Amino acid sequence: SFWRICDYKTAKAPRLQYSVETNQDIQQDAFFQLVLYALLIRESGALPPHDVRFLRLFYLTSTADEPPYAEWWDYDLGATVEERQAILHECHDRVAQTWWQIRDLCGHVGTSHQVKSSALAWKPCDRPFCFCHVCRPRFVPGTVAGDSVD
């Protein structure tokens, strides 16, 4: 038997009303968080790596005219261990790439972790919902190693 990872969203499910390719991109973006959870479970050793196969997103919605209900999307990581591992490996690569981009933006050099740029010089991403837009204004000059309080 296989494990299913579920996540609940308090919003309505995105409408898949576009081209097949665009709809697939929307679904892949929606499931990225759950694929990351599956990767973390695999890396933690909490379960045998081949035991997590299914992902489910519950979109909780309600209107005044009908009782609350959930629409759900399912995602199968793959019928074989190799298919599942390939998807988790791709997720790992994406997370690792993001980590290295953050390190580059912060200016870490070699093992000395010298910061060559100010956190104020960091440019936030183009995703308006990302936490980076919230945390960047909270930056206090002088609280990051190598950043001067001029």
Side-chain angles (χ1 to χ4, degrees):
S1 69
F2 296 101
W3 286 81
R4 177 186 311 269
I5 299 174
C6 299
D7 194 11
Y8 295 85
K9 304 294 181 186
T10 56
K12 291 184 177 184
R15 295 292 146 225
L16 301 176
Q17 58 191 11
Y18 308 101
S19 69
V20 172
E21 295 81 18
T22 300
N23 288 340
Q24 287 174 341
D25 288 344
I26 290 169
Q27 288 178 316
Q28 283 183 334
D29 285 347
F31 277 105
F32 179 75
Q33 183 177 354
L34 289 179
V35 173
L36 180 59
Y37 292 167
L39 173 66
L40 293 172
I41 289 170
R42 181 190 76 180
E43 296 296 314
S44 73
L47 294 171
H50 57 277
D51 281 1
V52 176
R53 177 175 173 185
F54 301 107
L55 309 177
R56 176 171 283 173
L57 282 171
F58 283 101
Y59 288 95
L60 306 175
T61 60
S62 64
T63 67
D65 298 340
E66 55 191 62
Y69 69 95
E71 178 180 339
W72 63 86
W73 291 358
D74 286 325
Y75 185 84
D76 185 346
L77 289 172
T80 67
V81 173
E82 292 78 18
E83 290 173 312
R84 294 190 292 278
Q85 294 302 327
I87 289 172
L88 297 181
H89 182 73
E90 183 179 313
C91 179
H92 182 274
D93 286 350
R94 184 173 167 188
V95 171
Q97 180 183 16
T98 302
W99 168 248
W100 287 110
Q101 289 171 346
I102 290 169
R103 284 181 52 91
D104 289 346
L105 286 171
C106 292
H108 288 281
V109 179
T111 57
S112 63
H113 299 290
Q114 300 167 338
V115 178
K116 63 183 177 187
S117 63
S118 165
L120 290 175
W122 174 73
K123 302 288 188 259
C125 72
D126 60 356
R127 295 179 173 171
F129 57 83
C130 183
F131 186 69
C132 70
H133 300 284
V134 175
C135 68
R136 185 174 184 274
R138 295 179 183 171
F139 170 72
V140 177
T143 60
V144 175
D147 189 63
S148 62
V149 187
D150 296 332

